[in-house]
Each structure stands twice: as structure tokens, then as C-alpha cells.
Amino acid sequence: MNLEFEKLENDFGARIHGLDQHRDIDEELVEALAAGLNEHGVLLMRGEKISPARLVELGRAFGELEILPEPEKRHPDHPEIFDLTNVRRDGEVVDYEEPQAVFLRGTERWHTDSSFREVPCLCTMLYAVEVPDSGGETQFADMFSALAELPADLRVAIEGKRLIHSYVYSRANNPGRMEPMSSEEQEKYPAVSHPWIRSHADGRESLYMGGHVSHVEGMDLDEGRELIEEVLTAATQTQFIYEHHWAANDLVIWDNRSTLHRLRPYEISARRRVMRRVTVAGVDPVN
Ligand code: OGA
Ligand code: MN
């Protein structure tokens, strides 16, 4: 296997070299990619066009793909692909306050994808079709280092605690107006509880938190939220961050078990940002 991983920034994230886009996705490649993701948290493939079919194939190499509940956000030929775009179906860029824009702006909060599920997703793959010249970067924060370097008093304060993650809560707190969820919809997303400190299969530990978190289990609401803010601020300092400046044809894969990410603002109602996303379902509950 001739794959090489070149480290990106702050000893976090790596760019993959030597992956021919036409190469068969066999067991050897899958193992190398999975090991790379475990080690680096974020992987970047740059400079090669990836077709929608190939994107789905690459995603499947990591596991089963989630299919989004909203059909209008799916790629017309590949339901596994989520068209993450500020360009409407009619070809026009969205208005700042319309639901498509509000939804996208929701990703400007630090979060980890689908942490509101009992078994949250494993990793997300985002492929850039069109990107703005400036703004619209994606920041990733390494929750292994963040936990390792968390001040001792904060570590003590969160030890053994669990966080309540709720889609109903994060939707309600989305920046911008969003249609309130019907009670029927709300029932589909019961709040879940995950440990604040997550243990991984290889024995390492990371922080597990982010924008879907509503509160600390068993703690006074306000006190808990203050603690969450304090830990989040400590965990997202620049030394834990890789900021990705997108170029067209970039594919970025991130491990949602051990990283947080957020979109940086851009002129959402003026500049086109067209991305294709696949999400690999998780297999293990959060421990
Ligand atoms: C996502 C996400 C951020 C971005 O796709 O889960 O948060 O930069 N995207 O588009
Ligand atoms: Mn996300």
C-alpha cells in the first residue's frame, strides 16, 4: 500500500497522498483509510475529481451510509448523498433567512454530527464542488488533545458526568428562524444521554460534546450549561484546531467520535458553496 499521510496542522489531520481515484476499494485500502482516520481524526484528499458514484463507494468502505429523512436534500441519483448547498434547485443562491440558509447556518456552531442519536454516526465525508474564495472554511477541533490538556479542575468537574443530547433542543436553538417541530416529529428524536468523556476501542479517551447538547444530566440546568461553555471554550482553543480552506474537488473525511467541527461564516446569499456529503452510520454506542 503506497498511501501516505502528511500531517496538517497542530499535529491534527492529515492529507492523503498516493490514492489513485480509479483504484479498487479493496480490503487493504479500507484498512489503511480507517487506520488513518483513527490516527489523524481528519483526512484530506485534494486535487482529484470524485464522481457522486465514487463518493458513495468511498463512504461504503467505512460502513453503512445514513440516508437523510428529507428527500429534497438528497442528490437526485444517489439518495445516500446529501446536497449541502446554498444554491436552490432553481439555480439561485438562497436568501439569508430562508430555511435552506438557516439550516446551513446552524452548522456554524461547534458540533459533532448526529450526536443526538443513541448510536451516533462514525464519520462524515464532505466533497467540494464549488466554494467561495473566502469565508466558508471548516474548522475541526481535536477532542483527544482537548481532553488531555483540559485544566485539572475542569477534568474533575466533568469526570463521570453525562450530557443530554437533543435534536429538538439544537433545532430550537438554531441561529435564525426555523419552523418549530411538530410533536410528531419531536417524538422521532427522543433526547439521549452520552458520557462526557468518551472511551474509544483502542483505550484512548476524548471529550464528547457539541451543539446538540442540551444540558448536564443530574445537574442544575444553568450551572451545567455554564460548565459546558467553560469546557467548550477550553476545548476549542487554536492549538487544537485544523482550519480547512476549501478548494474545489477537496474531499474531507472527519471522525465524529473524536472531533468537533463548525462552518465559518461566508456570504451565504451571494457566493455559491456547493458540497456533497455522505455520512457513515456508527456501529458502537458511546461508551
Ligand atoms: C456537516 C457540516 C460544515 C461545512 O456537513 O455536517 O457541519 O463546512 N458542514 O459545510
Ligand atoms: Mn456537521
Side-chain angles (χ1 to χ4, degrees):
M1 169 66 51
N2 50 0
L3 278 195
E4 273 175 39
F5 296 95
E6 176 200 357
K7 288 203 179 192
L8 292 169
E9 217 178 304
N10 291 325
D11 208 21
F12 174 44
R15 177 169 170 185
I16 301 176
H17 293 280
L19 178 62
D20 171 359
Q21 284 307 332
H22 304 287
R23 187 193 190 283
D24 277 349
I25 299 179
D26 54 21
E27 211 168 303
E28 193 192 9
L29 177 62
V30 171
E31 267 173 31
L33 288 174
L37 190 66
N38 266 331
E39 181 174 350
H40 303 289
V42 179
L43 299 178
L44 164 65
M45 289 180 210
R46 170 159 274 180
E48 267 191 272
K49 214 173 166 124
I50 298 174
S51 69
R54 178 75 175 178
L55 180 61
V56 169
E57 209 185 327
L58 275 168
R60 288 227 176 96
F62 287 89
E64 200 161 310
L65 300 183
E66 289 182 359
I67 298 196
L68 215 69
E70 302 101 320
E72 74 281 1
K73 288 184 182 147
R74 293 182 200 146
H75 186 281
D77 305 326
H78 298 273
E80 304 89 343
I81 295 181
F82 171 7
D83 283 328
L84 194 77
T85 170
N86 67 335
V87 180
R88 289 192 213 125
R89 292 280 195 219
D90 68 6
E92 296 296 319
V93 175
V94 292
D95 291 329
Y96 192 74
E97 282 298 345
E98 77 178 73
Q100 197 173 336
V102 171
F103 170 81
L104 291 169
R105 287 195 280 124
T107 66
E108 290 173 14
R109 295 171 292 179
W110 285 111
H111 66 282
T112 178
D113 295 330
S114 73
S115 69
F116 52 82
R117 291 184 204 279
E118 197 57 57
V119 177
C121 66
L122 187 98
C123 65
T124 302
M125 307 174 75
L126 199 55
Y127 176 70
V129 180
E130 268 183 90
V131 287
D133 305 332
S134 68
E137 298 84 8
T138 309
Q139 289 182 332
F140 299 92
D142 177 6
M143 292 299 105
F144 284 124
S145 311
L147 177 64
E149 292 177 38
L150 196 66
D153 58 326
L154 285 181
R155 168 98 202 199
V156 169
I158 70 170
E159 198 81 54
K161 291 211 164 60
R162 301 177 69 90
L163 296 173
I164 304 298
H165 298 242
S166 156
Y167 188 53
V168 176
Y169 174 83
S170 61
R171 265 276 304 257
N173 287 281
N174 201 80
R177 285 187 304 273
M178 256 184 146
E179 280 293 303
M181 278 168 113
S182 66
S183 48
E184 208 174 82
E185 235 184 319
Q186 293 195 16
E187 273 167 30
K188 277 194 247 161
Y189 300 101
V192 300
S193 149
H194 298 306
W196 203 335
I197 298 176
R198 182 169 186 168
S199 303
H200 298 260
D202 58 7
R204 291 184 299 166
E205 289 183 328
S206 71
L207 287 168
Y208 191 68
M209 55 193 306
H212 299 298
V213 168
S214 145
H215 60 279
V216 183
E217 194 171 74
M219 210 174 157
D220 171 80
L221 212 62
D222 292 337
E223 245 176 76
R225 286 184 178 154
E226 247 170 66
L227 183 58
I228 291 167
E229 267 315 301
E230 218 180 322
V231 175
L232 188 67
T233 303
T236 52
Q237 298 175 81
T238 49
Q239 67 267 31
F240 307 129
I241 291 178
Y242 166 63
E243 178 171 277
H244 186 64
H245 294 248
W246 292 92
N249 301 329
D250 278 355
L251 175 69
V252 174
I253 309 172
W254 64 85
D255 192 329
N256 279 300
R257 299 166 300 186
S258 60
T259 65
L260 291 181
H261 62 280
R262 67 170 176 180
L263 165 70
R264 300 307 286 152
Y266 66 105
E267 291 176 274
I268 200 165
S269 45
R271 294 168 183 253
R272 295 163 66 95
R273 189 175 190 267
V274 180
M275 320 287 269
R276 296 187 185 126
R277 170 183 153 159
V278 294
T279 313
V280 180
V283 279
D284 302 315
V286 182
N287 286 311

